[in-house]
Amino acid sequence: MELNNKNTRRILLIITFTILLFLIAQNLTSVWTAIKTIAGFFTPVIVGLCVAFVLNILLSGLENHVFAFMKRSKRKFVRKLCRPVSLILTLLITLGIIVVFIVGIIPELVDLFTSLSETIPKLAGDLMEWIEGLMDKFNIAVDILPNYTIDWERLFDTIIDFLTNSSGDLVGGAVNVTTSILSGAVNAVFSIVIAVYVMAKKERVGHFTTNLIKAIVPQKYADSIFRISSITYSAFSNFISGQLTESLILGTLCFIGMLILRLPNAVIISIAVCITSIVPIVGAFVGVAIGTVLLLIESPIKALIFLSFILILQQVEGSVIYPKVVGKSVGLPGLIVFCAVLVGGNIGGVAGALLGVPLSAVVYTLVKEFINTRVPHEPAPETVPAAAEESQPKPTRRKRKTK
């Protein structure tokens, strides 16, 4: 009787789950809108947890390596000071990086826009002269080129009419923008507070979460959740720490190389290369494209020099730096990394490309564990051609002599 009750419950659960999947598939747009709305309410919490996860990598490194002597101290108050000191230093390092980034890039951006405002009109004039000279060379009349003139009086009248008729919309838009900025600032403050609290009390938060899962989920499934969570944490932390370190090294080498080659806009281009290279494979090409375009406006020769230098640097980075720094931290073959970046980028843009690699590492690890539990481990076959195997002499056994 008990067995029949269990089978009936399983059938009812399967039917209920199938109906839910069918309803979700039929109303996928509404479900996705509801999920985004609910997630919007918890945005400060989600952002705070993400910030805590990233900064915890630096915090753990400081606790376990730099201030490890404080954790091993015989004095209790010294052991308790290890967490606050490491947390304060983590926040100061993060704030210092942000300040250096802002202070270093703003003057460079001003100089860049000033240079572009002076260079682009000159390039446009040179381009028109080149087109006219080319047309004269082939005996083509210059009169066929369109002559664009600007009616300034009409332009000013149009602007005044627009401002007069749309003044209410402009005021409302300004109020909405101001409200969004203030709301974003408040959410940012709350996110930082949540991140600091989670990092300061991470053992207590982890203990509470573990007990909550054990209280809700049966023990067998709880163990699976803990194991998958451990694999996910390792994959994400290794990927983030490896990518950030590799991007910082690549940006620094790019900056040093541009200074040696005396190329302009070294700070902005190196920062662009550093930031974009956080996205594996694809990001480095985006940074190279940005730097090449900025230099091409000023001088094609300098753009060619930069392109040659950065291609050599990427070869060194791909063959030496990346294997040493990142290595096999995520445990994925190169083809799966490439596919994860492309598929993740198509699904969620830059965020999808970033999350695609560690998520693929988690799935890849679980699939390998599943295969190892079902299939006995066998050594991989050696890549020896069949003809070579046949040509090799087979060992002969000597017969024992019988007395």
Side-chain angles (χ1 to χ4, degrees):
M1 187 70 181
E2 184 179 354
L3 185 61
N4 292 331
N5 290 333
K6 288 184 178 179
N7 292 332
T8 304
R9 290 176 184 173
R10 290 176 181 176
I11 293 172
L12 290 175
L13 285 175
I14 293 172
I15 294 173
T16 305
F17 184 71
T18 305
I19 294 173
L20 286 176
L21 284 180
F22 178 76
L23 293 175
I24 291 173
Q26 292 294 320
N27 303 277
L28 194 58
T29 305
S30 302
V31 171
W32 180 244
T33 304
I35 291 174
K36 289 197 295 184
T37 304
I38 295 172
F41 298 147
F42 295 94
T43 298
V45 179
I46 296 172
V47 174
L49 293 177
C50 293
V51 172
F53 182 87
V54 175
L55 295 184
N56 182 62
I57 298 172
L58 178 58
L59 176 65
S60 299
L62 292 175
E63 285 184 337
N64 298 326
H65 299 285
V66 179
F67 300 109
F69 66 94
M70 298 180 68
K71 296 176 68 175
R72 296 191 298 265
S73 177
K74 295 181 180 180
R75 299 179 179 180
K76 187 177 180 180
F77 77 95
V78 175
R79 293 197 301 270
K80 287 185 176 182
L81 280 176
C82 181
R83 175 62 54 79
V85 170
S86 301
L87 181 57
I88 293 172
L89 188 58
T90 299
L91 296 176
L92 289 177
I93 291 174
T94 305
L95 182 62
I97 292 173
I98 295 173
V99 170
V100 169
F101 175 79
I102 294 175
V103 172
I105 199 172
I106 286 179
E108 292 290 330
L109 282 176
V110 173
D111 295 339
L112 175 62
F113 285 121
T114 304
S115 176
L116 291 178
S117 63
E118 296 174 355
T119 305
I120 290 178
K122 183 178 180 299
L123 288 177
D126 294 340
L127 180 61
M128 289 301 298
E129 290 180 3
W130 179 78
I131 293 174
E132 291 176 358
L134 187 64
M135 295 178 69
D136 289 338
K137 184 177 180 180
F138 291 97
N139 296 323
I140 301 174
V142 184
D143 297 336
I144 66 172
L145 291 176
N147 186 16
Y148 295 102
T149 58
I150 300 176
D151 189 353
W152 294 103
E153 185 177 354
R154 185 177 179 182
L155 178 61
F156 287 140
D157 291 339
T158 304
I159 293 174
I160 291 172
D161 292 339
F162 173 76
L163 293 176
T164 303
N165 298 327
S166 305
S167 57
D169 296 336
L170 291 175
V171 172
V175 171
N176 291 333
V177 171
T178 305
T179 305
S180 299
I181 293 174
L182 291 176
S183 176
V186 172
N187 289 338
V189 171
F190 280 114
S191 298
I192 294 172
V193 171
I194 292 171
V196 171
Y197 178 81
V198 170
M199 287 189 295
K201 304 292 184 180
K202 58 182 181 179
E203 288 84 6
R204 185 178 298 178
V205 173
H207 183 69
F208 173 79
T209 307
T210 301
N211 290 337
L212 180 63
I213 293 174
K214 289 181 178 179
I216 297 175
V217 183
Q219 185 64 36
K220 181 176 66 173
Y221 299 107
D223 293 338
S224 300
I225 292 174
F226 297 147
R227 185 172 58 85
I228 294 174
S229 300
S230 176
I231 295 172
T232 304
Y233 175 79
S234 299
F236 274 79
S237 60
N238 291 336
F239 172 75
I240 292 173
S241 59
Q243 283 297 128
L244 290 178
T245 305
E246 189 261 346
S247 300
L248 184 61
I249 293 174
L250 185 61
T252 304
L253 292 178
C254 179
F255 177 73
I256 294 173
M258 292 186 69
L259 288 181
I260 294 174
L261 297 173
R262 296 183 179 180
L263 296 175
N265 304 321
V267 175
I268 294 178
I269 294 175
S270 300
I271 290 176
V273 171
C274 178
I275 293 175
T276 56
S277 61
I278 294 176
V279 181
I281 301 173
V282 181
F285 294 101
V286 176
V288 172
I290 294 173
T292 304
V293 170
L294 292 178
L295 292 175
L296 188 62
I297 295 174
E298 185 167 341
S299 172
I301 302 298
K302 293 180 180 179
L304 184 61
I305 294 173
F306 169 76
L307 190 60
S308 303
F309 159 70
I310 205 70
L311 289 177
I312 295 173
L313 180 61
Q314 283 187 348
Q315 292 298 319
V316 174
E317 181 263 346
S319 59
V320 179
I321 300 175
Y322 195 88
K324 296 293 183 181
V325 177
V326 181
K328 297 181 179 179
S329 59
V330 294
L332 281 179
L335 180 62
I336 297 182
V337 172
F338 184 74
C339 294
V341 172
L342 291 182
V343 175
N346 291 331
I347 294 174
V350 177
L354 283 172
L355 297 176
V357 176
L359 286 176
S360 299
V362 174
V363 175
Y364 183 73
T365 303
L366 295 176
V367 169
K368 281 176 60 178
E369 290 183 357
F370 175 76
I371 293 174
N372 291 333
T373 56
R374 296 298 181 93
V375 180
H377 179 69
E378 296 180 358
E382 297 180 0
T383 56
V384 180
E389 290 182 354
E390 293 178 357
S391 62
Q392 291 178 357
K394 295 182 179 181
T396 56
R397 294 182 179 179
R398 294 183 178 180
K399 295 182 179 179
R400 291 183 179 180
K401 294 181 181 180
T402 55
K403 294 182 181 180

